[in-house]
Amino acid sequence: MKKTLFVILAVVAVASCKSQYDALLASNDADTKYAAAMDYFNNGKYKKAATLFESLAVLTSNTEKDDTVQFYWGLSNYRDRDYYTAEANFTRFITHYPMSVFTPEAAFLRIDCLYRSTYRYELDQVPTQQALAEISQYKKENPDSPRIEACDKMEADLNERLDRKALEAAKLYYKMENYKSSRIAFRNILKNDPENIYREDILYYTAMSSYKYALLSVTAKQKERYLTFVDDYLNFISEIPESSYRRELDVMYRRAQKALGKSIADDGEDISDRDLRKQKKEEEKALRRAARELEKQGE
C-alpha cells in the first residue's frame, strides 16, 4: 500500500513538473521565462535550458537581453554536448552580434564545437580538415587571444590524425605485399607533407618496400631494384642514423650487397667479388715470383 502511494505521488510530482515546464514554454512572460532558463542552466539541466532559451529568443529579439539569450542558447547546447547545434548557434551569434561582450567566447566555442565533431583517424577526415582551416583562421584573427594555446593543442591532435590516416593507408599496400605500390604511397606522403610526424616510420617502410620488391622480382630486374633499395637505405641512415630501425635495415643492406655481388669491407667501402678475385690472383702471382727468386738464389 505504501509503495503504491509512493508511486502515485511520484507520478503526480513528475506530471506537475512537466506541466510547469510546459507552461513556461508556452508563456509570453519574457522575464519569468528568462529567470527559469537561467535557473535550469545553472543547475546543469542544459537540454531544458536550451529549449527555453530557444523559445525566449523570439520574445527578446531587439532587446537588451537579445545577445545574452542567443549566447546562452548556444552555450546550453554546448554543455549538453550537442556540438552540431551549438556550432550553428555560435556561427549565427558572431555574425549578428560582432560587438557583444560574448563574441570572443562564442568565436572560440564555435571552433571547439568543430574540433569535438571530428572523427577518429580511421574514419572520414573531411570534418578534421574543415576544423583545421577554421582554427587557423581564428588564430590569424585573434593572435593575442588567451585561447591560442588551446588552439595549438587542437591543431596538433587533428594533424596527428591526418598523419596517421596517411601512414595507415599506405601500410595497407605493404600488408597486402604490393610493395611497388606501397613504396610509391609512402614516398607520396612525404612529397605532400614533409613534416609528417611519422616521417621515421614512413622512411623505414619505403626502404623495406623497395627491398622486398627487389627480393620478389625476377632475376633480370633484381639488380636495378636492389639499387633502389640501397638509395632508400642510404637516405634513411643519413637522416636518422640512430633510429631503432637501423639494425634491421643494416641486415637488409648487407643482403642486398650480397645479391649485387658485393661485400662490405671493414671501413664500409663496397668491394666487388671481381675485385676480390683480381686481388687474390695478384697475390698468388707475387708468391710464385718470390718462390722462383728463392730457387735461383739456391742454385
Side-chain angles (χ1 to χ4, degrees):
M1 186 67 179
K2 289 182 179 180
K3 184 177 180 181
T4 302
L5 181 59
F6 175 79
V7 171
I8 293 172
L9 290 173
V11 170
V12 170
V14 170
S16 176
C17 291
K18 183 177 180 181
S19 61
Q20 182 182 8
Y21 181 73
D22 289 341
L24 281 169
L25 282 176
S27 173
N28 289 324
D29 185 339
D31 291 337
T32 301
K33 184 176 286 191
Y34 179 83
M38 282 296 187
D39 188 57
Y40 278 118
F41 179 86
N42 291 329
N43 284 285
K45 298 178 181 180
Y46 301 119
K47 190 178 293 294
K48 287 187 174 182
T51 305
L52 279 175
F53 282 122
E54 182 179 4
S55 67
L56 185 60
V58 177
L59 301 177
T60 57
S61 180
N62 297 318
T63 69
E64 62 180 11
K65 290 182 179 179
D66 195 9
D67 65 331
T68 303
V69 169
Q70 294 284 348
F71 176 74
Y72 273 90
W73 178 13
L75 190 59
S76 296
N77 282 317
Y78 177 84
R79 295 282 181 84
D80 194 43
R81 299 184 181 182
D82 182 357
Y83 300 119
Y84 180 82
T85 304
E87 191 274 326
N89 289 141
F90 292 131
T91 298
R92 182 172 55 252
F93 184 90
I94 60 180
T95 300
H96 292 139
Y97 309 98
M99 305 305 295
S100 170
V101 294
F102 298 113
T103 299
E105 183 72 4
F108 172 75
L109 290 175
R110 174 178 174 269
I111 63 170
D112 191 48
C113 287
L114 291 170
Y115 167 71
R116 293 173 184 273
S117 298
T118 55
Y119 308 131
R120 302 190 312 271
Y121 80 87
E122 307 100 307
L123 305 176
D124 180 23
Q125 293 304 298
V126 170
T128 297
Q129 294 166 340
Q130 292 173 340
L132 280 169
E134 294 297 332
I135 293 170
S136 177
Q137 186 64 30
Y138 175 87
K139 289 171 66 176
K140 288 179 182 178
E141 294 175 354
N142 304 276
D144 299 321
S145 170
R147 304 286 198 170
I148 293 297
E149 185 177 351
C151 290
D152 290 341
K153 290 181 179 179
M154 289 184 208
E155 279 188 321
D157 180 47
L158 295 177
N159 279 316
E160 189 277 335
R161 293 185 210 178
L162 294 178
D163 289 353
R164 180 75 179 277
K165 179 87 170 181
L167 173 65
E168 296 300 330
K171 283 173 69 174
L172 285 176
Y173 291 109
Y174 188 84
K175 292 175 181 178
M176 292 188 294
E177 300 183 0
N178 187 346
Y179 300 119
K180 180 180 180 180
S181 294
S182 68
R183 182 176 184 272
I184 292 171
F186 287 120
R187 285 171 59 84
N188 282 339
I189 294 174
L190 296 184
K191 180 180 178 181
N192 298 326
D193 179 21
E195 302 303 318
N196 188 296
I197 64 171
Y198 295 103
R199 184 178 181 88
E200 181 178 353
D201 299 271
I202 293 166
L203 290 172
Y204 162 76
Y205 280 108
T206 299
M208 289 300 294
S209 295
S210 57
Y211 175 82
K212 292 188 176 183
Y213 183 49
L215 180 66
L216 298 175
S217 296
V218 295
T219 304
K221 295 185 177 181
Q222 279 189 324
K223 180 177 180 180
E224 176 187 355
R225 292 170 183 175
Y226 273 125
L227 289 172
T228 298
F229 162 73
V230 171
D231 286 341
D232 291 340
Y233 166 82
L234 294 175
N235 182 48
F236 182 93
I237 65 170
S238 66
E239 185 170 326
I240 318 171
E242 303 301 323
S243 170
S244 59
Y245 292 127
R246 176 67 186 268
R247 178 174 294 182
E248 181 182 4
L249 288 177
D250 283 347
V251 172
M252 301 299 105
Y253 178 64
R254 287 193 291 271
R255 291 176 181 174
Q257 292 295 90
K258 184 176 180 181
L260 290 168
K262 299 179 180 181
S263 59
I264 309 299
D266 291 338
D267 59 0
E269 181 182 1
D270 291 350
I271 302 176
S272 68
D273 287 349
R274 184 177 60 184
D275 291 337
L276 289 172
R277 288 194 297 271
K278 182 178 179 181
Q279 181 180 343
K280 185 176 181 180
K281 287 181 180 179
E282 289 176 349
E283 290 174 351
E284 289 174 350
K285 287 181 181 179
L287 287 172
R288 286 197 294 270
R289 283 197 298 270
R292 284 195 296 271
E293 290 293 329
L294 288 173
E295 288 177 359
K296 288 179 180 180
Q297 290 177 7
E299 294 176 355

